[in-house]
Amino acid sequence: PYNAATQKRYRGINVLILWHAAMRRGYRSPAWVGYHQAQELGGHVKRDEKSTSVVYGSTFVPKEERGKPEEEQQRVPFLKRWIVFNVEQTAALPDRLSRIPEPVPLSDAIAHVEAFLRAVGAQVHHGGDRACYLPALDSIALPEPNAFESAPHYYATSLHEHVHWTGHQSRLDRDLSGRFGTAAYAAEELVAELGAAYLCAQLSIPGRLRHAEYLGSWVKLLRDNQRAVFTAAARATDAATYLSDQGGLAPEPEEAQDEGDEP
């Protein structure tokens, strides 16, 4: 999802928020816009349309800290909220902003993801019946492509393992030491699943949940730590951005912020 006015992509938890809203309400467009932004673009939000809230992290200095030197002040983090609308909830926007994008032909998407993965350059070995990333060897193991039920399934699985690959200490340095059943393992698998979903969307590869066996551990993780989904979404965005840069995709712009549309 991206902001129609600024053309900047949303990141982290906001991707999940806007995907959920789009799927629940049936929006086909990935473009979103603030109420006042729509007016500035010559359009307007349709009557009685329901907004969607996105969030941004910010900090403030408590009153008791303001008398201290700036370098000694303790800042308190908080989430700030803005409201946005899908462009399908608007009228009279310029055609270039409200046009529903055409799906990329699957053959073109597969050619693109092939070139992308070659450009990333991770060490990948094919064979066996297990897909995994091996941190000690810094390599990805995948079954042969014809062992998968479809080409999109193969590439989505490869993208999942490539997200794990970004966690190596020489790259984004995430904790890859967790064993199955631990919170650290569940957290890293959630990062990989979300990162792969972001990349599937960017590369037009049909994606789906590939690791349903992790659902129970994710539910426990999110119940035990209310911030876990924010952390996982942020790390998944960082991983997807890292791979996008390595693979030569268009650079990630700064996160969209819809100033002026705060409720």
Side-chain angles (χ1 to χ4, degrees):
Y2 65 93
N3 182 281
T6 65
Q7 298 298 299
K8 293 177 180 178
R9 293 181 187 146
Y10 293 93
R11 296 169 58 87
I13 194 66
N14 289 329
V15 177
L16 303 184
I17 290 171
L18 296 176
W19 273 354
H20 177 256
M23 288 187 287
R24 184 160 48 89
R25 301 176 195 166
Y27 303 141
R28 297 167 297 158
S29 175
W32 298 77
V33 68
Y35 185 89
H36 296 299
Q37 287 177 326
Q39 294 177 329
E40 291 166 1
L41 292 167
H44 62 273
V45 175
K46 297 174 186 175
R47 188 185 181 99
D48 297 328
E49 288 289 347
K50 182 177 176 60
S51 67
T52 300
S53 295
V54 291
V55 296
Y56 297 94
S58 189
T59 61
F60 74 94
V61 179
K63 186 182 297 184
E64 60 273 17
E65 294 287 323
R66 293 173 190 167
K68 299 178 181 179
E70 187 172 344
E71 63 273 11
E72 296 178 13
Q73 292 175 353
Q74 297 294 316
R75 303 186 67 86
V76 177
F78 71 101
L79 287 177
K80 201 169 185 179
R81 183 168 75 107
W82 282 269
I83 60 171
V84 293
F85 298 85
N86 190 273
V87 296
E88 294 183 43
Q89 298 176 273
T90 68
L93 287 183
D95 287 344
R96 63 183 174 81
L97 300 180
S98 57
R99 189 179 301 115
I100 305 297
E102 290 291 328
V104 175
L106 183 57
S107 58
D108 292 349
I110 288 174
H112 189 193
V113 72
E114 269 284 358
F116 167 75
L117 291 173
R118 283 197 302 270
V120 169
Q123 190 176 74
V124 179
H125 299 286
H126 289 91
D129 58 1
R130 185 178 172 218
C132 61
Y133 169 64
L134 303 168
L137 301 177
D138 193 21
S139 68
I140 294 168
L142 290 170
E144 295 290 346
N146 59 12
F148 290 82
E149 63 183 65
S150 67
H153 189 203
Y154 166 76
Y155 288 111
T157 302
S158 180
L159 291 171
H160 177 103
E161 301 307 334
H162 274 78
V163 174
H164 283 312
W165 176 83
T166 68
H168 190 269
Q169 61 184 9
S170 66
R171 300 180 191 100
L172 300 182
D173 195 18
R174 294 191 306 274
D175 180 7
L176 302 178
S177 64
R179 295 185 177 277
F180 186 82
T182 65
Y185 186 93
E188 174 60 20
E189 287 301 330
L190 185 55
V191 170
E193 197 73 356
L194 292 177
Y198 296 168
L199 288 164
C200 281
Q202 194 172 356
L203 293 159
S204 301
I205 296 296
R208 68 176 190 222
L209 180 67
R210 291 173 302 286
H211 297 282
E213 67 272 22
Y214 296 140
L215 285 174
S217 63
W218 290 339
V219 169
K220 184 178 187 308
L221 174 72
L222 300 179
R223 282 177 175 164
D224 292 345
N225 181 358
Q226 295 181 352
R227 297 182 181 180
V229 69
F230 290 86
T231 301
R235 290 177 178 171
T237 299
D238 290 343
T241 300
Y242 183 94
L243 289 167
S244 295
D245 292 344
Q246 292 292 114
L249 295 185
E252 287 279 347
E254 295 177 8
E255 181 171 13
Q257 291 200 24
D258 305 298
E259 299 287 355
D261 295 307
E262 185 179 3

